[in-house]
Amino acid sequence: MSRPHYVVHESGARDPRLEKLGIPAKIITMAVEAGEAEARQCTDNDPLMARGFIRYFRTVRVLREGAAPLGWGKDNPRNLAGP
């Protein structure tokens, strides 16, 4: 079984697909950082799944808020959040 191939882009070497989508990397970065910051607020008294759920919820919200002014809408196909 082959392992997935991941590409990490640093600094100005951003993935050109973001540019094609019209979403600045700054919006993605802000969304991920917001999700991580919110997840770090969890303690051992939270349910085990809390960190992952909270990280996902906050990341989606911030991504939606950043993409909306660029003309992006939100969708929830099969009850799964998308930008």
Side-chain angles (χ1 to χ4, degrees), residues 23 27-28 30-32 34 56-83:
I23 299 178
I27 291 174
I28 305 295
M30 286 174 39
V32 171
Y56 169 68
F57 297 151
R58 191 59 65 232
T59 300
V60 169
R61 182 176 104 185
V62 174
L63 179 59
R64 285 177 169 180
E65 290 171 349
L70 303 174
W72 284 76
K74 56 187 172 191
D75 196 9
N76 294 296
R78 295 185 303 179
N79 210 25
L80 297 172

Side-chain angles (χ1 to χ4, degrees), residues 36-47:
E36 286 299 314
E38 197 76 18
R40 282 193 298 271
Q41 299 303 310
C42 291
T43 71
D44 290 339
N45 292 321
D46 286 299

